[in-house]
């Protein structure tokens, strides 16, 4: 485990040393890593956490995550590992699937889209992400009820990994780790619940923070 975590730490340092580009070539990676073997090892570590996608000598990074400060990345690792092990399920592939999961799965911790919306009223939720203690047991239950596992389901099961003692901070870290539209949810949570977060703060583009500030319905805070 220590070796694995060290490898992931090296991978983050490698990613942060790359020049900012929308798409990289393997030659870019080799110039930073020092060798093709090391470059692929770093990319595989990032890929295992859902932070890199590469094909035919080219790759992209989830820059909103890999460019976070080291102390934030350390806190993000449980969220990143959980998200990399996510399992999606769908039956009707609409809101009825989400209602069923909300009403019939009792041992759960709701995060990302739906919990972020409950906290901020900022972005309309799309998918239901829930942490469960026994992911195989809950998966079997959903399958018994007609759900199928695949890429298009709106009910996402996550293994319960890491610290959940500060609920709001865990949702905040999950949002940073998930990236893309969830980054704006993280910003909204920080703006509204700064006093409920630890001293660790994510690093966000100034223009994106301003956009969230302008669009955030502050009357719905807390």
């Amino acid at each position: 485990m220590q070796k694995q975590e060290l490898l992931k730490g090296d991978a983050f340092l490698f990613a942060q040393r790359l020049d900012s580009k929308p798409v990289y070539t393997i030659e870019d990676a080799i110039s930073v890593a020092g060798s093709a073997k090391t470059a692929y090892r770093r990319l595989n570590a990032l890929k295992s956490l859902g932070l890199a996608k590469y094909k035919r000598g080219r790759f992209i990074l989830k820059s909103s995550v890999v460019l976070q400060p080291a102390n934030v990345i350390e806190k993000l690792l449980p969220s990143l590992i959980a998200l990399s092990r996510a399992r999606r399920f769908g039956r009707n592939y609409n809101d009825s699937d989400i209602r069923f999961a909300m009403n019939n799965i009792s041992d759960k911790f709701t995060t990302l889209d739906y919990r972020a919306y409950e906290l901020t009223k900022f972005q309309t939720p799309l998918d239901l992400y829930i942490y469960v203690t026994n992911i195989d047991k809950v998966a079997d239950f959903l399958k018994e009820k007609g759900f199928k596992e695949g890429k298009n389901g709106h009910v996402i099961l996550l293994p319960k990994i890491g610290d959940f003692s500060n609920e709001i901070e865990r949702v905040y870290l999950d949002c940073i780790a998930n990236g893309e539209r969830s980054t704006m949810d993280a910003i909204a949570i920080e703006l509204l619940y700064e006093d409920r977060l630890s001293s660790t703060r994510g690093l966000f583009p100034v223009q994106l923070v301003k956009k969230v500030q302008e669009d955030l319905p502050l009357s719905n805070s807390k």
Side-chain angles (χ1 to χ4, degrees), residues 87-93 96-106 108 128 130 132 134-150 153-158:
R87 298 174 64 180
R88 283 181 174 264
F89 293 86
R91 183 170 61 180
N92 298 314
Y93 299 94
S96 67
D97 292 355
I98 291 172
R99 290 195 297 272
F100 178 89
M102 290 292 283
N103 293 331
N104 292 279
I105 300 174
S106 56
K108 62 181 181 294
L128 177 66
I130 51 177
V132 294
N134 190 329
I135 195 168
D136 291 329
K137 181 178 179 180
V138 178
D140 289 342
F141 167 73
L142 290 176
K143 291 177 181 178
E144 290 171 2
K145 298 301 180 180
F147 282 76
K148 294 182 179 180
E149 187 169 0
H154 295 296
V155 176
I156 298 101
L157 305 183
L158 303 170

Side-chain angles (χ1 to χ4, degrees), residues 184-196:
M184 291 192 289
D185 284 330
I187 294 170
I189 291 171
E190 182 172 320
L191 290 171
L192 296 174
Y193 297 91
E194 184 178 6
D195 60 328
R196 303 284 294 276

Side-chain angles (χ1 to χ4, degrees), residues 65-213:
V65 180
V66 298
L67 295 180
Q68 292 293 329
N71 62 330
V72 176
I73 288 173
E74 182 179 358
K75 284 200 166 188
L76 289 179
L77 279 175
S79 299
L80 290 168
I81 293 170
L83 287 166
S84 72
R85 300 177 185 175
R87 298 174 64 180
R88 283 181 174 264
F89 293 86
R91 183 170 61 180
N92 298 314
Y93 299 94
N94 55 34
D95 287 348
S96 67
D97 292 355
I98 291 172
R99 290 195 297 272
F100 178 89
M102 290 292 283
N103 293 331
N104 292 279
I105 300 174
S106 56
D107 179 19
K108 62 181 181 294
F109 177 98
T110 304
T111 189
L112 290 172
D113 295 26
Y114 272 79
R115 187 63 181 123
Y117 182 75
E118 290 174 355
L119 291 169
T120 66
K121 302 297 187 290
F122 180 57
Q123 293 190 104
T124 302
L126 299 177
D127 296 318
L128 177 66
Y129 289 81
I130 51 177
Y131 282 102
V132 294
T133 303
N134 190 329
I135 195 168
D136 291 329
K137 181 178 179 180
V138 178
D140 289 342
F141 167 73
L142 290 176
K143 291 177 181 178
E144 290 171 2
K145 298 301 180 180
F147 282 76
K148 294 182 179 180
E149 187 169 0
K151 296 180 180 180
N152 299 319
H154 295 296
V155 176
I156 298 101
L157 305 183
L158 303 170
K160 203 167 186 180
I161 298 169
D163 184 10
F164 293 84
S165 60
N166 184 334
E167 176 192 358
I168 291 177
E169 181 168 86
R170 184 54 190 259
V171 177
Y172 170 73
L173 292 171
D174 287 346
C175 288
I176 297 176
N178 201 39
E180 300 178 353
R181 76 191 297 266
S182 294
T183 302
M184 291 192 289
D185 284 330
I187 294 170
I189 291 171
E190 182 172 320
L191 290 171
L192 296 174
Y193 297 91
E194 184 178 6
D195 60 328
R196 303 284 294 276
L197 305 176
S198 69
S199 58
T200 303
R201 295 288 187 276
L203 182 65
F204 309 109
V206 173
Q207 292 303 317
L208 194 58
V209 174
K210 289 182 178 179
K211 175 176 173 53
V212 175
Q213 286 176 321

